[in-house]
Amino acid sequence: MQKYSIFNLVKNAFSNHQNWDLAWKDPAPKEEYDVVIIGGGGHGLATAYYLAKEHNITKVAIIEKGWIGGGNVGRNTTIIRSNYMHDENGLFSEFGMDLWRKMSQDLNYNVMFSPRGIINLAHSDAQMNAYARRGNSMRLNGIDAVLLNREQVKEIIPMADFSDNVRFPIFGGLMQPSAGTARHDAVAWGYARQADSMGVDIIQNCEVIGFDVSAGKINGIRTSRGNIKAKKVGLCVAGSTNILAEKLNMTLPIETHLLQACVSEPIKPVLDNVVTFGAGHFYVSQSDKGEMVMGGDLDGYNSYAQRGNLPTLQHVLTEGIAMMPFLSKLKMLRTWGGIMDMSMDGSPIIDKTHIEGLYLNCGWCYGGFKATPASGWTFAHTIAQDRVHELNAGYSLNRFSTGHLIDEKGLGTKTWIS
Amino acid sequence: MLYINCPHCGMRSQNEFSYGGDASVKRPELNKEVSDQEWDNFVYNRKSLRGKHLELWQHISGCRQWIKVERDTATHEIFRTFKADEEVA
């Protein structure tokens, strides 16, 4: 594989950049693999990369129905954070933060990781107390957290509404300074390029039609491009999890819902951080191109549409304008939607299944993008060793039966309520 | 914007309704032995498929009745609506 470096950039400039290697190949599916990963999104690509890098398993195929990075890794708001209260979520995400910090060097691909900090705004004394508690829990797990009062928040984001006559006055906020954003497409492409260079076959435009299971053991998959034998199969298909689960006669604690996001026209730098509204569900950051990147609630009913509905967008942006009135002056550039695998406690599932050799990675809800490296790393471990790592031991499939839920937001089983 | 034909009030916009989830889920009978698996299926496990989906909505800013709606989860086409106690064939 050609290394991306200043020297290679200069060298290739002499041939007008016509002779760069392809970043990844386009192989036809082979008859058999050690591991088949279904889903060529961020998590699937990262899983294949860590299988090769950490576990020396390179007879791996990624099977993708469309094109790699065309699902949620290309449809998110690029936020990276580990500001969780519960140990399972905090430790898992903070492990991921370490991988994010090293990712550009590790992948030899600039993922533009930008640790610009995230601020969750509080709008009542009770919310300040809850944030103090969450911040303390985070610090006990080694995650940076700073409780800000109203004046400190005003110093950082003076453009927010600090006037007296507002419905949800800003009391303060909880900041994780090490949180940030990254270039989402680069994450998919970086993982794909490295995985490919280590021998992983990235097979696009290949739909999984069925599974070959006998005597409680997986033997392979049936696809639109022929049958593929595999000793182990990993499911990494986010919002399409239920479709594949049905082919396996499994019913999961997952519902598929639509989440929208949008960007405004680009403007000059105004917002340095990621900021979330505490009296509803709205978050905003500014991209390197200057667009305000915004998102919030699910559309609110089961959906596979991958496109949004206006009432929800209107509701979300109303919250945004309540928080930062200047947003009302901006024109909207693009809106889009992705289909989320909403789990019944808001936390993911990375586990083995009752079928030997079949592994499950799903339930990412609102937080799939930031989990990409940690999800890939732990899923690769789970597949390679046939046992869960301590980092994803809490993300078990049977926790819903045993009562060991990880309900970070206390929302219960109504996944569409925010 | 969805338009939902409330069986009590007629065609109204989505803004008047709130969502209640999969309507095909049945609470286990309380007067008989219920296994953990049956409770799991009632509380947590959902098919949530692409295509026709029978779901509950409440006409919260209208007649406040719960209704059943048969909707396509990919196209959002609404085929039929029912009163909450109507059996769906």
Side-chain angles (χ1 to χ4, degrees):
Chain A
M1 185 187 64
Q2 233 169 353
K3 196 171 155 60
Y4 290 162
S5 69
I6 182 81
F7 304 109
N8 268 329
L9 191 66
V10 172
K11 198 177 104 191
N12 277 281
F14 289 111
S15 53
N16 286 325
H17 298 288
Q18 297 297 308
N19 297 322
W20 285 101
D21 289 349
L22 285 178
W24 54 85
K25 297 177 283 293
D26 184 23
K30 295 193 189 97
E31 221 168 80
E32 187 174 358
Y33 291 94
D34 289 341
V35 180
V36 164
I37 304 292
I38 302 172
H43 291 218
L45 293 161
T47 304
Y49 168 71
Y50 291 113
L51 275 172
K53 182 178 175 238
E54 304 285 339
H55 306 279
N56 256 329
I57 300 174
T58 55
K59 257 185 87 180
V60 177
I62 294 169
I63 306 294
E64 166 57 46
K65 181 182 169 190
W67 63 96
I68 58 165
N72 294 342
V73 73
R75 294 166 183 267
N76 55 75
T77 46
T78 80
I79 296 163
I80 293 161
R81 59 190 176 84
S82 59
N83 53 356
Y84 287 101
M85 188 172 82
H86 289 303
D87 290 349
E88 294 91 344
N89 291 334
L91 295 171
F92 177 88
S93 305
E94 187 57 17
F95 176 79
M97 292 301 295
D98 268 340
L99 295 174
W100 278 112
R101 287 178 201 114
K102 294 181 281 197
M103 191 181 289
S104 289
Q105 283 72 31
D106 193 25
L107 298 180
N108 178 229
Y109 206 105
N110 186 3
V111 300
M112 297 165 77
F113 176 55
S114 162
R116 56 183 67 184
I118 185 168
I119 302 170
N120 301 133
L121 294 179
H123 307 274
S124 66
D125 282 327
Q127 205 167 12
M128 282 300 280
N129 289 342
Y131 281 178
R133 181 182 177 219
R134 173 145 66 96
N136 286 334
S137 303
M138 287 164 62
R139 291 169 67 125
L140 285 170
N141 281 332
I143 303 162
D144 56 328
V146 185
L147 195 65
L148 306 170
N149 62 28
R150 181 179 161 94
E151 279 63 44
Q152 290 166 311
V153 172
K154 195 173 179 179
E155 199 129 296
I156 302 172
I157 48 165
M159 77 297 277
D161 196 345
F162 286 94
S163 59
D164 296 325
N165 191 24
V166 288
R167 173 67 183 83
F168 299 108
I170 295 169
F171 276 55
L174 181 67
M175 183 174 192
Q176 184 192 3
S178 68
T181 60
R183 172 88 178 106
H184 54 329
D185 295 322
V187 176
W189 298 334
Y191 275 123
R193 175 168 162 267
Q194 286 292 344
D196 174 89
S197 79
M198 288 188 283
V200 172
D201 280 358
I202 297 171
I203 299 159
Q204 305 181 71
N205 299 310
C206 180
E207 184 178 356
V208 173
I209 302 166
F211 295 85
D212 180 9
V213 180
S214 60
K217 192 177 178 315
I218 194 113
N219 302 312
I221 58 171
R222 294 193 294 279
T223 78
S224 57
R225 294 173 68 177
N227 295 349
I228 300 172
K229 282 188 217 151
K231 296 185 189 75
K232 294 177 176 181
V233 174
L235 256 56
C236 258
V237 293
S240 300
T241 300
N242 286 309
I243 296 176
L244 291 187
E246 196 208 16
K247 298 181 198 297
L248 288 156
N249 290 322
M250 290 167 75
T251 312
L252 298 171
I254 301 279
E255 278 191 12
T256 297
H257 283 262
L258 186 104
L259 182 60
Q260 294 191 66
C262 58
V263 293
S264 74
E265 59 188 327
I267 53 173
K268 287 186 175 177
V270 58
L271 181 62
D272 297 330
N273 319 91
V274 182
V275 180
T276 73
F277 184 53
H281 198 181
F282 172 82
Y283 43 89
V284 60
S285 63
Q286 190 169 18
S287 76
D288 294 325
K289 287 181 280 183
E291 304 149 325
M292 305 305 286
V293 186
M294 297 170 279
D297 282 322
L298 297 173
D299 267 22
Y301 40 86
N302 296 49
S303 175
Y304 280 87
Q306 282 193 318
R307 60 183 149 67
N309 205 335
L310 200 55
T312 303
L313 201 59
Q314 202 168 22
H315 169 74
V316 167
L317 292 176
T318 305
E319 295 174 39
I321 291 164
M323 184 176 93
M324 291 183 179
F326 83 95
L327 294 174
S328 70
K329 309 241 190 222
L330 301 181
K331 291 189 183 73
M332 206 56 69
L333 198 63
R334 291 192 309 278
T335 78
W336 65 92
I339 52 173
M340 307 290 120
D341 34 342
M342 301 300 295
S343 72
M344 291 289 164
D345 62 355
S347 298
I349 296 162
I350 308 177
D351 203 359
K352 299 161 66 170
T353 63
H354 69 283
I355 299 169
E356 196 188 330
L358 183 80
Y359 304 86
L360 190 61
N361 180 330
C362 63
W364 291 100
C365 301
Y366 300 93
F369 176 69
K370 61 136 204 300
T372 304
S375 162
W377 196 95
T378 52
F379 197 41
H381 181 280
T382 305
I383 293 171
Q385 313 274 335
D386 194 37
R387 61 185 166 86
V388 295
H389 188 269
E390 61 179 21
L391 282 168
N392 64 315
Y395 293 158
S396 64
L397 179 55
N398 73 355
R399 70 175 184 270
F400 299 91
S401 305
T402 61
H404 295 86
L405 303 190
I406 312 169
D407 198 346
E408 188 79 30
K409 290 171 90 182
L411 292 176
T413 57
K414 302 286 182 284
T415 59
W416 57 88
I417 295 174
S418 54
Chain B
M1 176 79 79
L2 301 179
Y3 287 93
I4 299 173
N5 190 10
C6 173
H8 307 280
C9 313
M11 194 66 88
R12 299 297 174 92
S13 92
Q14 169 200 340
N15 291 336
E16 295 187 12
F17 294 83
S18 82
Y19 186 63
D22 191 337
S24 67
V25 177
K26 286 250 179 344
R27 187 185 172 99
E29 302 271 349
L30 282 180
N31 50 8
K32 67 170 186 118
E33 193 68 23
V34 181
S35 69
D36 286 356
Q37 186 60 50
E38 282 173 297
W39 274 119
D40 285 351
N41 288 342
F42 169 63
V43 181
Y44 299 117
N45 294 335
R46 297 289 179 267
K47 286 210 157 61
S48 186
L49 291 175
R50 186 186 173 96
K52 271 191 186 173
H53 189 241
L54 189 69
E55 56 203 19
L56 291 167
W57 289 76
Q58 189 187 11
H59 195 183
I60 191 129
S61 304
C63 62
R64 299 190 65 81
Q65 295 293 314
W66 283 93
I67 61 168
K68 289 180 195 165
V69 176
E70 190 183 48
R71 184 181 60 91
D72 190 304
T73 57
T75 64
H76 297 329
E77 184 183 353
I78 292 173
F79 305 103
R80 297 182 293 175
T81 56
F82 307 88
K83 292 176 183 170
D85 56 357
E86 261 182 273
E87 282 300 319
V88 180

